Structures are given as C-alpha cells and as structure tokens.
Amino acid sequence: MSEVFSKLFDVEPRAWMALGVVIILSILGLIYLSHKKEQTSNTAHTKKIVYGGICISISFVLSYIRIFHLPQGGSITLASMFPLVLYSMIFGPVAGIIAGFAYGMLQLIQDMWVVNIAQLLLDYPLAFGCIGLAGIAPNAIKNVQLRTFIAVTLALLGRGAMHILSGWLFFADYAPEGMNPFIYSLGYNGTVILGELVITLVLAMILVSTPIYTTLKKGAMPSF
C-alpha cells in the first residue's frame, strides 16, 4: 500500500498533458450544459438526489456480480452501468456525470489499481463520470429504443476512451514485446467495454419496452 501512494505523483509530462486536455474539455462541457439546465423546484431537486443515491447504490451492488475479471484490473459485470445510464437519461448529463464521479470513487475503494494520480483520475472519477454522457442522447428522438441505444453507446464508449487512454499511458509495460501499447490497451480495455456494452444494451432494451421505464421517468420529474 505504501508503494502505491509513493508513486501517486510520479507522472510523465505527456500524461499530464493528456489528462489536462481531458479535464479542460470536461469542465467546458459541464459549464455549457449547466447553462442549459432549467430551474427546478425543491421537490424535483430532492428527487434528483434521492434517485441518484439509489442508482449509485444499485450499480455498486451489481458491480460485485462479475461475469469475467481481467488480471490487470477491469471486469465485465451484470449491467452495473445500467442504473447510472438510466439516471443520466432521466435527469440529464450534468447530474449523470456527478453521479458517475461519485460511483467512480466507490470503485476506487472497491478495487483499487493505482499507479499515480493521473491514472487514478482517468480510471475512476473521469471514466465513470463519462457514464453521464448518456444524458446527451437527444430528447427529440421519440423512439425510446433508439434513444436508449444511443445513450448506452455514448456512456460506455466514453468510459472506454478513458480506460484506453490510461492503459496506453501507464500500463505499456504489460503489452507483449513488439506490440504497440495503444493497440494493447485498445484490445484489453475494449474487451471489457464491449462485454459491458452488449449486456447493458440487452437489459436496457428490455426495460425501456415495459411500463417500468415510463413510470420511473414520470415519477422522477426530470429537470433536463
């Protein structure tokens, strides 16, 4: 444990540059999206917090149901991302990103694999914060199945991009001799993300085709 924390700030300049770009783009995106939010009542705001806590909790429990676990970290779970995707679809990207950040910190506690502070940020709060991208799936799309497909895909690909970037920058030593570290990271992390994407899509398509989704959406009083 002491060795892990001793390396937290041992970060190469190119890693700080990549992380800086990600953080800047994230902040700009949050500022832009925040200006588009509608004013909400206290009741709606309370429901947003309550629903967020419930979805984070369900995702955390589902994350323990691992279908496949890779040796250097990363697991295919029983659709543990779906509650956060659903929350982001209902309450919008800002609330979804915040919930994803919180969930990422829980994942850090659950299954910590840390090389330095930049890798920690990429693999945990930033990666899972990207689940909130599900909220930018256009509400104008009336076909709920199509909107759900777009939302799930955006969320999982956003998360995957952070993991792939982290693997390329910080886990190149694990790549087989002669293999490009980026290709290795793409294959390694892509396996996890593709598995999560398929499982999440299947469950999502089933759920949004039932009255359950409509009831949840009406009861939540979405603010975005």
Side-chain angles (χ1 to χ4, degrees), residues 38-201:
E38 299 174 2
Q39 296 298 319
T40 63
S41 66
N42 289 333
T43 301
H45 184 67
T46 300
K47 284 190 174 184
K48 181 186 294 187
I49 295 173
V50 172
Y51 272 70
I54 293 172
C55 289
I56 291 170
S57 299
I58 296 173
S59 285
F60 190 60
V61 171
L62 289 174
S63 71
Y64 279 93
I65 306 176
R66 298 177 177 180
I67 299 171
F68 183 69
H69 184 66
L70 277 71
Q72 280 83 49
S75 302
I76 298 174
T77 65
L78 187 60
S80 62
M81 297 295 94
F82 179 66
L84 292 173
V85 170
L86 182 62
Y87 178 76
S88 301
M89 289 177 63
I90 294 175
F91 289 100
V94 174
I97 290 170
I98 293 171
F101 265 59
Y103 176 79
M105 299 314 295
L106 287 177
Q107 281 293 299
L108 177 61
I109 297 171
Q110 179 198 43
D111 194 15
M112 183 170 65
W113 191 284
V114 177
V115 175
N116 54 53
I117 190 66
Q119 175 266 326
L120 182 154
L121 292 173
L122 281 172
D123 274 332
Y124 295 97
L126 288 176
F128 291 102
C130 283
I131 301 299
L133 294 176
I136 67 176
N139 286 311
I141 298 177
K142 301 304 180 183
N143 186 312
V144 67
Q145 284 80 16
L146 177 58
R147 181 168 181 258
T148 301
F149 178 85
I150 294 173
V152 172
T153 303
L154 286 172
L156 272 295
L157 290 183
R159 176 192 161 190
M162 296 298 103
H163 290 317
I164 290 169
L165 181 60
S166 172
W168 174 49
L169 292 173
F170 305 113
F171 297 99
D173 290 343
Y174 288 101
E177 186 175 353
M179 177 179 283
N180 185 295
F182 179 79
I183 299 300
Y184 170 74
S185 180
L186 181 64
Y188 184 95
N189 291 289
T191 300
V192 174
I193 295 303
L194 182 59
E196 288 277 344
L197 177 61
V198 171
I199 294 172
T200 304
L201 276 174

